[in-house]
Amino acid sequence: MTAVDQALHRVPTRNLRVARAEFGAVWTTAQRQAEADRQHGVAGWYTAGVIVTCLWLADAPHHPAWGRPHPARSPVGDRDISATEDSIEAEYQAAELMPEHQPWLLEQRPGWCEGIRATLRWAWRHDGPPPLDENGEPIAWSATRT
């Protein structure tokens, strides 16, 4: 049983607007893609954005490569707050403004903002496709959306 499988059954129902199984499939795919990226020496910021957002929405602990596990931090504000309906909505609103409020991220972490935004749009707002396809590839968001 993977860490995602262990955490999935504890995801607060109120935190998702998509089916728990679908959320788990995307999260598992993102974890698998991140491992492939690491093996190939690829930064994979988009996938990392998807993973941190899934961790936080699931209210799951983050298990860093070093140190002790700790609660996942909010993906946009990087704050130690639990994912609740109010905090998720606030993160969603902040995610939509990330390129304007944190433009340095676009250059230093290409794909990070997009991964977070795509995951929140899909899992929280149920607006748009999942952030990754079954092969771990980002699903393009309409060019008319920002």
Side-chain angles (χ1 to χ4, degrees):
M1 182 178 277
T2 69
V4 171
D5 293 332
Q6 292 173 359
L8 194 57
H9 73 279
R10 292 189 308 264
V11 177
T13 305
R14 68 184 184 281
N15 289 7
L16 301 176
R17 306 270 169 84
V18 296
R20 187 183 303 259
E22 189 178 1
F23 180 78
V26 167
W27 191 4
T28 298
T29 298
Q31 295 281 46
R32 191 173 51 246
Q33 183 61 45
E35 182 57 34
D37 288 347
R38 274 191 292 278
Q39 289 178 358
H40 292 99
V42 175
W45 286 111
Y46 182 92
T47 304
V50 173
I51 291 170
V52 299
T53 306
C54 287
L55 271 169
W56 184 67
L57 287 171
D59 212 13
H62 172 60
H63 296 275
W66 63 93
R68 296 164 36 122
H70 55 82
R73 297 177 65 81
S74 65
V76 178
D78 192 32
R79 297 177 295 156
D80 187 16
I81 59 171
S82 294
T84 64
E85 291 174 271
D86 290 339
S87 63
I88 296 168
E89 182 60 25
E91 284 292 297
Y92 170 79
Q93 295 294 329
E96 290 298 314
L97 298 173
M98 279 178 85
E100 295 150 24
H101 291 178
Q102 298 174 329
W104 60 272
L105 284 173
L106 298 175
E107 185 177 318
Q108 292 183 4
R109 296 181 182 178
W112 174 259
C113 297
E114 292 85 354
I116 293 168
R117 290 164 55 199
T119 305
L120 286 171
R121 280 183 187 139
W122 167 71
W124 176 244
R125 284 291 182 95
H126 202 250
D127 180 21
L132 299 168
D133 68 16
E134 62 276 354
N135 298 315
E137 294 295 320
I139 296 178
W141 188 252
S142 170
T144 61
R145 306 294 295 253
T146 57

